Amino acid sequence: MRSDLSSMREAARLGRDLPAEDYDVVLFTLGILAAKNREETSGRIERDMAVSYLSRFAVLQGLSSRLGAARPDDAPQPRVFVMGSPGTGIRGNPEDLNAEGPYRAVPVYMNTVAANEALVLAGTDRLPGPAYFGLNPGLIKTDIRSNYLGEGSIAHRLAEALIGITGQSPQTYAKRILPLLFAPGLEGRTGVMFNNKAQPILPSRGFDKAHADRFMTASEALLRRALR
């Protein structure tokens, strides 16, 4: 199903329309990096926050309670995997989720990282139904950096070439992560995060439930504003 996930209306529609009752797993991978100068969507949301985090939150609002509901009673609890960079020590600032203060691209991007970690840690309370897990793939050669470095620029090409040499390939990462999505050992667990070798990692230091809840409250307010 095609959808423009920079639009919160489109993301909310997708969450309502996806036939999630038969799903075992939902995997969120979409994302960009914040641009060097602030970009805003038609819904007046900072573009990186809209694409890399808030669209996920919007999809889940319409999807979480239906996820896996039509499967057999003895089926495992449905799972949501959120790809970002959890466990890297980024606490973020839930008071400026829309980057309306002084703009700097890297802190703005890191705020989406923190928001996604909050979703993993607080998802079961705010969007109940599935279990939530975080994925930190590290540096992998993709086009995610094009929004910051400039697509096709010399800096972009050099960065991707270096990452391609030093980091693992998307194919290697996929082979490591795919079994994790359905691992029986995750049954009964939630809020667990994994590194690029599918090994569990700790949450960011100081990222307690109260801090995650502040992100969820700010997310709800920003989404309501975008959908007005």
Side-chain angles (χ1 to χ4, degrees):
M1 298 175 65
R2 296 172 65 90
S3 183
D4 175 7
L5 294 179
S6 67
S7 163
M8 295 307 101
R9 292 188 184 277
E10 281 285 289
R13 179 193 60 77
L14 188 65
R16 294 190 299 268
D17 290 351
L18 281 170
E21 289 82 359
D22 293 321
Y23 291 3
D24 297 300
V25 170
V26 170
L27 170 62
F28 288 101
T29 65
L30 67 159
I32 58 174
L33 263 65
K36 291 182 180 180
N37 297 305
R38 189 178 186 276
E39 298 176 334
E40 197 171 76
T41 68
S42 58
R44 303 185 68 182
I45 307 298
E46 190 277 318
R47 187 165 174 252
D48 182 26
M49 182 59 65
V51 174
S52 304
Y53 167 69
L54 199 62
S55 62
R56 303 173 177 195
F57 189 81
V59 168
L60 283 167
Q61 285 214 329
L63 183 147
S64 62
S65 63
R66 300 185 295 109
L67 186 57
R71 300 175 308 150
D73 292 340
D74 60 351
Q77 184 181 12
R79 300 170 180 179
V80 171
F81 286 84
V82 178
M83 188 175 289
S85 299
T88 53
I90 306 300
R91 296 185 76 248
N93 178 17
E95 304 305 317
D96 190 22
L97 207 59
N98 200 31
E100 293 171 340
Y103 183 86
R104 290 185 298 153
V106 173
V108 167
Y109 167 68
M110 290 303 179
N111 220 24
T112 69
V113 169
N116 278 299
E117 184 163 350
L119 179 57
V120 173
L121 296 173
T124 52
D125 295 328
R126 297 300 184 103
L127 298 160
Y132 290 82
F133 302 96
L135 299 177
N136 186 338
L139 290 175
I140 294 179
K141 185 178 179 181
T142 69
D143 283 334
I144 192 172
R145 285 160 287 274
S146 63
N147 197 53
Y148 177 73
L149 296 174
E151 186 172 4
S153 67
I154 293 175
H156 183 218
R157 295 200 303 270
L158 288 175
E160 297 307 321
L162 180 61
I163 291 168
I165 294 169
T166 59
Q168 63 180 325
S169 69
Q171 292 78 12
T172 298
Y173 178 68
K175 288 178 181 178
R176 287 173 169 169
I177 292 298
L178 185 60
L180 178 68
L181 305 185
F182 305 96
L186 295 186
E187 183 64 14
R189 299 178 181 272
T190 191
V192 184
M193 292 166 284
F194 299 89
N195 66 14
N196 62 357
K197 296 181 180 178
Q199 299 165 332
I201 56 176
L202 294 172
S204 296
R205 186 175 179 180
F207 216 122
D208 55 16
K209 185 179 184 300
H211 190 61
D213 282 340
R214 285 193 285 273
F215 266 101
M216 294 295 97
T217 298
S219 302
E220 291 165 351
L222 187 58
L223 182 59
R224 282 196 302 269
R225 193 176 94 181
L227 294 175
R228 279 204 302 250

